[in-house]
Amino acid sequence: MTLLHLFDLDGTLMYGSAAPVEISRQLGLEAEIAELERAFGAREIGPQDFSRAARDMWADLTPAHVRAAFDGAPWLAGIRDVWQEIRERGDYCAVISLSPSFFVELLLEWGAHAAHGSVFPEVPFTRPVDVAGILTPEGKLTVADRLCARFGVTRADCVAYGDSMTDAVLFGALPRSVAVNARPHLAERATHVYEGRDLREAYQLLGRTRPGVAAS
């Protein structure tokens, strides 16, 4: 059976942080992004308002800032190992995140078959955010369905990895899910629960790791 593994980014592949936080850190905007994240977590604003505010906050953002944010982020260990293992099995792996596309798509360099984020203008910004391209939790499922069609699988063949309620729609629609360092209300919906900093260990909960690939 061919599986499609669908990974969230913020708080899932990245330990205790998020792409907007790491981007803002490069610009010295830690306090500003903390307030924006708080408002989003409290549901005072939605993904579209968050993205518009972030784009305005990042007016001075350059590609060098984005690369530094990506390279310096607190990634879980073993991401590339897991994705190589998935590829060797003939399975597929993709990232679906509400974070900016220009950051999420860098994960294609690590072996993801696909990477989908909220569509932002190119960096440095010369255009506003088109809110039609901003992903929502429900939009994650729409992207997952498109990926199923692309790779010739169905929802029954998917595994979702996530940490927060923005992943709840996927967890509810798919038969297998791995809560990674997740909030309790998401963990209780998952088929597997992992706490730690090594994606290889989370992946092993599915019982599909080859004997030669072990966490270290």
Side-chain angles (χ1 to χ4, degrees):
M1 178 179 65
T2 299
L3 293 183
L4 171 58
H5 299 259
L6 301 168
F7 295 90
D8 173 53
L9 190 160
D10 302 322
T12 301
L13 295 177
M14 193 182 290
Y15 186 84
S17 190
V21 173
E22 298 303 315
I23 293 167
S24 299
R25 182 172 290 123
Q26 296 298 318
L27 298 168
L29 297 170
E30 292 92 338
E32 291 84 349
I33 195 61
E35 173 56 23
L36 200 57
E37 291 274 351
R38 184 208 63 77
F40 181 74
R43 300 186 181 182
E44 295 171 10
I45 60 173
Q48 295 179 342
D49 288 336
F50 182 99
S51 297
R52 280 189 291 229
R55 182 258 181 253
D56 292 343
M57 185 188 307
W58 298 334
D60 297 326
L61 189 66
T62 68
H65 289 130
V66 176
R67 175 54 67 175
F70 183 87
D71 291 344
W75 299 105
L76 264 62
I79 294 173
R80 281 173 278 197
D81 292 340
V82 168
W83 291 353
Q84 180 181 351
E85 160 73 4
I86 288 171
R87 282 179 169 272
E88 289 175 352
R89 282 190 174 275
D91 292 341
Y92 299 99
C93 53
V95 181
I96 308 176
S97 172
L98 272 59
S99 279
S101 50
F102 60 77
F103 189 98
V104 178
E105 290 168 4
L106 293 176
L107 286 165
L108 293 171
E109 299 173 4
W110 288 8
H113 288 93
H116 291 266
S118 291
V119 179
F120 269 61
E122 298 79 9
V123 177
F125 300 134
T126 59
R127 296 180 290 110
V129 168
D130 181 353
V131 295
I134 302 305
L135 273 184
T136 64
E138 295 75 18
K140 282 190 168 188
L141 185 57
T142 301
V143 173
D145 285 338
R146 291 205 304 264
L147 291 171
C148 284
R150 173 180 168 184
F151 295 123
V153 299
T154 69
R155 289 185 184 180
D157 307 313
C158 292
V159 185
Y161 301 74
D163 76 303
S164 71
M165 286 306 290
T166 62
D167 304 302
V169 174
L170 276 183
F171 274 44
L174 305 180
R176 302 174 192 82
S177 55
V178 183
V180 180
N181 299 315
R183 277 68 163 180
H185 45 260
L186 187 75
E188 66 188 16
R189 304 176 184 216
T191 53
H192 303 281
V193 177
Y194 174 70
E195 295 285 336
R197 298 195 180 198
D198 196 318
L199 189 64
R200 291 165 291 194
E201 295 171 353
Y203 177 68
Q204 287 170 2
L205 296 177
L206 297 169
R208 290 177 62 83
T209 303
R210 294 187 190 280
V213 178
S216 61

